[in-house]
């Protein structure tokens, strides 16, 4: 098939391109960077130099390619994680997802693309008991920054799943593995080594992770086996409380154990939310319908 990827050079885009090419698909990767276009050529993909904010440009390329599948993985996240970099890139990241993504989607509809796959999030379910499945709505009561992110994904899913295309939303967990913030030597790993990522309160927030390679495999499985109009939690089998996964991750890195701090000593309510209220997701639907199985969380 002809597969068009918007966001082909990001953390998930790179393994996705590699796996699609290995499966015999013709892959077109959209980027704004000449350097990244060269990396796509080296992989064997066909680069499309285009700006997602330029609807005429996007329409022109989409009409010329006429892909069978479009995979929207647009983000503008910082290469290195910190509270400051996340705040600094939030506005452009939101615009890329909402405006740029809408342009890609509109061009795909105009061109008659049948299958459209979107990147969504598997860690914005409302706090509650047990693991959340896809029938749960996104959280409606959270600190401002967290709530805004949840609303963004809610809008993206509504756009795609209610359209006249075979739209599928993949709700990924926290990415780890090569090229991600959690990889050894990368920003979050370095924060943990510095004991700058503490356990807040009792650390009861439950996080769902997914290895970047497993996320790519699930995305490819969705092309063939995904049901139109459905969302899937793409997470591993080991959703864990912060007080479990963070010490294990520290140990895996060879870092000192994380420190413990009280909620009242944390200035940012978003950190408190992630540390104490985040809810994990189950992957039953994805495993059954996509015929996909992720590896165990590496540090557990």
């Amino acid at each position: 098939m002809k597969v068009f990827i918007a966001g082909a050079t990001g953390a998930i885009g790179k393994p996705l391109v590699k796996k699609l090419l290995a499966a015999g698909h013709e892959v077109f990767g959209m980027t704004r960077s000449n350097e990244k276009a060269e990396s796509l050529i080296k992989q064997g993909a066909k680069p499309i130099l285009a700006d997602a904010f330029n609807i005429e440009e996007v329409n022109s390329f989409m009409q010329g390619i006429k892909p069978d599948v479009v995979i929207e993985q647009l983000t503008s996240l910082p290469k290195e994680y910190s509270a400051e970099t996340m705040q600094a890139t939030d506005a452009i990241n939101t615009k890329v997802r909402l405006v740029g993504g809408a342009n890609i989607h509109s061009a795909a509809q105009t061109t008659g693309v049948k299958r459209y796959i979107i990147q969504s999030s598997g860690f914005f379910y409302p706090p509650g008991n047990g693991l959340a499945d896809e029938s749960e709505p996104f959280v409606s009561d959270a600190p401002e920054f967290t709530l805004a992110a949840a609303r963004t994904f809610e809008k993206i899913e509504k756009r795609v799943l209610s359209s006249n295309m075979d739209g599928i939303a993949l709700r990924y967990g926290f990415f780890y593995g090569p090229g991600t913030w959690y990889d050894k030597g990368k920003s979050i790993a370095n924060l943990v080594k510095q004991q700058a990522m503490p356990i807040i309160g009792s650390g009861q927030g439950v996080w769902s992770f997914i290895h970047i390679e497993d996320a790519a495999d699930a995305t490819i499985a969705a092309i063939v086996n995904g049901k139109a109009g459905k969302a899937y939690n793409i997470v591993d089998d080991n959703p864990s409380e912060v007080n479990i996964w963070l010490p294990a991750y520290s140990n895996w890195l060879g870092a000192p154990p994380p420190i413990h701090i009280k909620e009242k000593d944390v200035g940012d309510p978003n950190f408190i939310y992630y540390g104490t209220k985040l809810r994990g997701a189950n992957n039953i639907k994805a495993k059954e319908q996509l015929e996909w199985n992720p590896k165990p969380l590496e540090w557990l």
Side-chain angles (χ1 to χ4, degrees):
M1 291 184 285
K2 288 183 179 180
V3 182
F4 181 99
I5 305 174
T9 57
I12 187 173
K14 291 175 183 177
L16 184 56
V17 167
K18 181 180 178 180
K19 289 173 181 287
L20 284 165
L21 289 169
H25 300 296
E26 188 177 8
V27 179
F28 299 83
M30 194 180 86
T31 179
R32 290 188 297 172
S33 161
N34 285 309
E35 182 182 352
K36 290 180 178 179
E38 286 296 323
S39 72
L40 287 168
I41 292 171
K42 288 178 181 178
Q43 281 188 280
K46 298 175 181 177
I48 302 298
L49 277 166
D51 185 344
F53 296 136
N54 188 328
I55 184 64
E56 291 81 11
E57 195 172 60
V58 172
N59 268 320
S60 176
F61 279 117
M62 198 75 73
Q63 289 286 350
I65 296 166
K66 291 185 168 50
D68 301 294
V69 180
V70 171
I71 303 174
E72 185 190 317
Q73 298 281 6
L74 289 174
T75 63
S76 186
L77 294 168
K79 288 185 178 180
E80 298 297 328
Y81 169 86
S82 71
E84 293 74 22
T85 58
M86 290 299 288
Q87 291 278 357
T89 58
D90 179 58
I92 185 61
N93 185 49
T94 301
K95 184 179 178 181
V96 165
R97 292 183 190 272
L98 293 179
V99 180
N103 287 342
I104 301 294
H105 189 221
S106 174
Q109 287 181 298
T110 302
T111 307
V113 174
K114 295 299 182 185
R115 177 132 296 195
Y116 196 95
I117 298 173
I118 185 74
Q119 177 182 143
S120 188
S121 174
F123 44 89
F124 287 123
Y125 289 111
N129 296 322
L131 300 177
D133 63 26
E134 294 84 352
S135 66
E136 295 260 9
F138 285 120
V139 65
S140 60
D141 182 16
E144 183 178 358
F145 190 81
T146 301
L147 188 60
R151 292 289 80 80
T152 294
F153 285 112
E154 193 174 64
K155 290 174 184 176
I156 293 169
E157 286 201 7
K158 183 178 180 180
R159 162 170 60 83
V160 172
L161 300 183
S162 63
S163 70
N164 58 359
M165 307 170 74
D166 288 349
I168 296 170
L170 299 181
R171 296 176 179 173
Y172 302 110
F174 291 97
F175 289 145
Y176 77 96
T180 71
W181 295 330
Y182 289 86
D183 200 12
K184 291 182 177 180
K186 297 299 183 180
S187 51
I188 287 184
N190 291 333
L191 288 174
V192 170
K193 289 177 182 177
Q194 298 161 16
Q195 293 183 299
M197 193 167 178
I199 294 174
I200 299 170
S202 62
Q204 71 270 34
V206 179
W207 291 39
S208 293
F209 286 90
I210 188 67
H211 193 283
I212 202 74
E213 297 282 344
D214 289 330
D217 286 336
T219 306
I220 295 171
I223 293 175
V224 180
N225 300 323
K227 311 266 185 212
K230 299 296 183 183
Y232 295 92
N233 290 333
I234 306 303
V235 300
D236 65 26
D237 296 326
N238 307 110
S240 308
E241 293 185 351
V242 176
N243 59 36
I244 294 173
W245 76 258
L246 185 52
Y249 178 58
S250 301
N251 183 64
W252 180 73
L253 292 171
I259 63 172
H260 292 252
I261 60 175
K262 296 178 180 178
E263 289 186 36
K264 68 181 180 64
D265 296 326
V266 179
D268 190 331
N270 295 282
F271 289 161
I272 297 173
Y273 183 90
Y274 272 66
T276 65
K277 293 184 178 180
L278 210 65
R279 187 175 177 191
N282 75 47
N283 58 15
I284 295 171
K285 182 177 171 184
K287 290 172 77 172
E288 289 180 350
Q289 294 188 11
L290 302 185
E291 300 178 15
W292 162 83
N293 278 289
K295 63 175 67 67
L297 182 59
E298 204 161 317
W299 48 82
L300 291 182

